[in-house]
């Protein structure tokens, strides 16, 4: 299939483009590069050994998106493009609502007009709020604590209503747990701007000596060792989950958790990283981060049952690949 990948130059999108190409699909990327670099497109081409088409386009720009749909025969869309920093979404709610909601509507409208009936959407486990773990797709969604989470819940509702009104439309809402790690080549990975908000990039930057130590947010949660528990998933497993969702897409709305089903605490992840890479990660405990929940992990059985997909890479592979990518970034900086 000819797949339009919005946000395809970003972290998850770039890995998914590799998986799509390896599965025999063609890829057109639309990305405005607001949180990624064009060189990621070259890296995708290098890894997969295949050409792709890239447009530097804002997905909220309906004319630019319509021009794409007019000029290419698009068989399906994977919509990654969006702003994703939780803290920033509290400070700049309008940017988040505008970018994340308008982009979804512009795409859905173009799909309707040009009769493109397959859409896969990047949602998040954050839509479960503080439900009881493990999170199951049938649970009622609870309010999230920030505008970012609300944009995911709203986009899910918009796409669900569109599919209800148009029986030809097929939508897959993929709720990601905590994507970490990097492509095994070390060429693609997560390179956040500024000080990372997320645990794994923070850990790799501490290991590299770029940051002095990890601040662990709270050690008094009702978890195995008092630190927060999450379901970390290797980004290549997540990427392959998108290919499975696309290949198995049938009419109507389908919701899937993409996680491993395993909870890992902050300290367990730090120790796994130290062991996998034979490197120390200094840390200290500080107070809880506002808005954090104690535990978040998936019931991942629906994706296995219906898509035949499960995560294959373990926490050691996640830590090893994340560190390989970080080290390569360091090499690049040093040789500049
Ligand atoms: P990312 O920032 O690396 O990638 C998003 C890409 O979208 C970037 O390349 C950015 O330049 C582009 N983009 C943003 N707004 C755009 C617009 N209006 N038009 C065109 N391009 C635009 O983020 P990611 O981690 O790869 O996340 C991809 C998607 O998955 C996002 O929708 C995110 O909310 C969702 N998600 C991410 C996580 C996570 O932990 N990384 C978890 C759950 C859901
Ligand atoms: N965390 C931490 N220190 C950090 C970043 C994160 O202790 O510098 C913890 C956080 O409290 C949570 C887990 O690591 O328990 C995962 O956080 P992340 O921000 O990566 O993902 P999310 O909160 O979105 O699940």
């Amino acid at each position: 299939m000819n797949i339009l990948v919005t946000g395809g130059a970003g972290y998850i999108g770039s890995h998914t483009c590799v998986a799509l190409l390896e599965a025999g699909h063609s890829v057109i990327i639309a990305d405005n590069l607001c949180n990624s670099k064009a060189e990621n497109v070259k890296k995708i081409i290098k890894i997969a050994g295949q050409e792709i088409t890239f447009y530097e386009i804002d997905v909220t720009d309906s004319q630019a998106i319509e021009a794409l749909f007019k000029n290419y025969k698009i068989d399906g869309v994977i919509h990654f493009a969006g702003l994703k920093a939780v803290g920033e979404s509290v400070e700049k709610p309008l940017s988040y609502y505008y970018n994340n909601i308008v982009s979804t509507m512009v795409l859905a409208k173009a799909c309707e007009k040009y009769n493109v009936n397959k859409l896969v959407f990047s949602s998040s486990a954050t839509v479960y709020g503080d439900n009881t773990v493990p999170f199951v797709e049938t649970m009622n969604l609870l309010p999230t604590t920030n505008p970012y989470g609300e944009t995911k819940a709203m986009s899910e509702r918009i796409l669900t209503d569109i599919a209800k009104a148009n029986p030809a439309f097929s939508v897959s809402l993929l709720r990601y747990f905590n994507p970490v790690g990097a492509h095994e080549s070390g060429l693609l990975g997560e390179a956040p701007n500024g000080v990372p908000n997320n645990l794994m990039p923070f850990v790799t930057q501490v290991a590299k000596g770029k940051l002095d130590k990890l601040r662990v947010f709270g050690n008094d949660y009702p978890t195995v060792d008092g630190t927060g528990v999450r379901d970390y998933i290797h980004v290549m497993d997540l990427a392959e989950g998108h290919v499975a969702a696309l290949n198995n897409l049938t009419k109507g709305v389908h919701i899937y958790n993409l996680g491993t089903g395993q909870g890992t605490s902050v300290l367990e992840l730090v120790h796994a990283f130290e062991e996998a890479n034979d490197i120390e990660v200094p840390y200290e405990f500080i107070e809880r981060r506002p808005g954090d929940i104690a535990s978040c992990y998936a019931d991942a059985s629906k994706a296995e049952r219906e898509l035949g997909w499960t995560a294959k890479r373990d926490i050691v592979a996640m830590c090893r690949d994340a560190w390989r990518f970080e080290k390569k970034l360091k090499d690049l900086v040093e040789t500049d």
Side-chain angles (χ1 to χ4, degrees):
M1 287 190 278
N2 214 8
I3 307 301
L4 172 63
V5 183
T6 75
Y11 174 46
I12 304 169
S14 59
H15 290 81
T16 302
C17 287
V18 170
L20 286 167
L21 293 167
E22 284 172 351
H25 298 294
S26 305
V27 166
I28 302 162
I29 292 179
D31 196 307
N32 65 2
L33 303 180
C34 70
N35 197 39
S36 56
K37 295 198 172 74
E39 71 185 51
N40 282 353
V41 175
K42 291 193 192 133
K43 291 178 181 173
I44 297 166
I45 294 169
K46 184 169 177 189
I47 293 170
Q50 293 174 59
E51 280 308 316
I52 53 179
T53 310
F54 168 58
Y55 285 92
E56 191 174 335
I57 283 181
D58 193 309
V59 184
T60 63
D61 178 345
S62 55
Q63 282 186 344
I65 287 295
E66 283 216 11
L68 264 188
F69 277 74
K70 216 176 188 166
N71 291 334
Y72 292 90
K73 193 202 155 292
I74 294 169
D75 299 301
V77 178
I78 306 184
H79 181 30
F80 292 103
L83 302 176
K84 63 163 182 175
V86 171
E88 188 184 57
S89 79
V90 177
E91 285 152 29
K92 300 178 184 169
L94 184 55
S95 299
Y96 273 69
Y97 283 116
Y98 190 85
N99 195 67
N100 292 5
I101 302 293
V102 174
S103 60
T104 300
M105 293 198 293
V106 163
L107 273 177
K109 205 168 169 200
C111 283
E112 197 172 74
K113 185 163 173 187
Y114 291 90
N115 218 10
V116 175
N117 284 321
K118 290 183 199 298
L119 193 144
V120 175
F121 176 66
S122 295
S123 190
S124 165
T126 194
V127 298
Y128 289 110
D130 202 0
N131 262 297
T132 309
V133 283
F135 296 157
V136 189
E137 290 88 345
T138 47
M139 280 175 163
N140 285 328
L141 302 190
L142 295 179
T144 65
T145 52
N146 56 79
Y148 165 73
E150 292 307 300
T151 68
K152 292 298 174 191
M154 280 182 201
S155 289
E156 284 201 4
R157 285 201 295 275
I158 290 169
L159 293 170
T160 301
D161 288 343
I162 293 171
K164 270 189 205 155
N166 174 4
F169 205 40
S170 311
V171 180
S172 192
L173 306 173
L174 303 182
R175 295 180 179 159
Y176 311 158
F177 283 69
N178 288 57
V180 295
H183 189 265
E184 287 81 351
S185 64
L187 285 176
L188 289 172
E190 188 174 16
N193 295 327
V195 178
N197 294 310
N198 295 113
L199 180 62
M200 184 65 98
F202 206 108
V203 165
T204 59
Q205 292 197 15
V206 170
K208 188 162 132 181
K210 204 173 160 195
L211 297 167
D212 63 339
K213 60 186 157 192
L214 172 69
R215 272 100 191 153
V216 178
F217 299 140
N219 62 345
D220 58 351
Y221 284 108
T223 61
V224 57
D225 55 21
T227 66
V229 164
R230 298 289 183 272
D231 184 340
Y232 298 97
I233 173 168
H234 195 293
V235 66
M236 280 311 296
D237 278 324
L238 190 63
E240 288 160 13
H242 288 74
V243 178
L246 195 66
N247 288 346
N248 290 286
L249 201 51
T250 55
K251 292 186 184 7
V253 179
H254 308 277
I255 304 176
Y256 297 104
N257 287 338
L258 295 185
T260 63
Q262 299 279 318
T264 303
S265 75
V266 176
L267 286 186
E268 285 171 339
L269 184 125
V270 168
H271 296 320
F273 187 92
E274 291 181 323
E275 266 179 46
N277 297 312
D278 197 18
I279 192 161
E280 210 188 321
V281 179
Y283 63 84
E284 66 174 350
F285 295 117
I286 65 163
E287 66 277 10
R288 293 179 177 193
R289 180 171 64 178
D292 273 358
I293 57 174
S295 294
C296 169
Y297 54 90
D299 175 330
S301 58
K302 186 179 175 198
E304 179 169 15
R305 224 171 31 247
E306 295 190 6
L307 304 178
W309 170 91
T310 48
K312 294 188 197 77
R313 298 157 179 92
D314 63 9
I315 200 89
V316 175
M318 298 179 212
C319 293
R320 200 190 49 219
D321 293 338
W323 180 228
R324 185 186 297 116
F325 175 70
E326 185 74 60
K327 279 193 298 186
K328 228 176 170 124
L329 273 184
K330 184 180 174 187
D331 296 341
L332 289 176
V333 172
E334 280 179 349
T335 52
D336 270 349

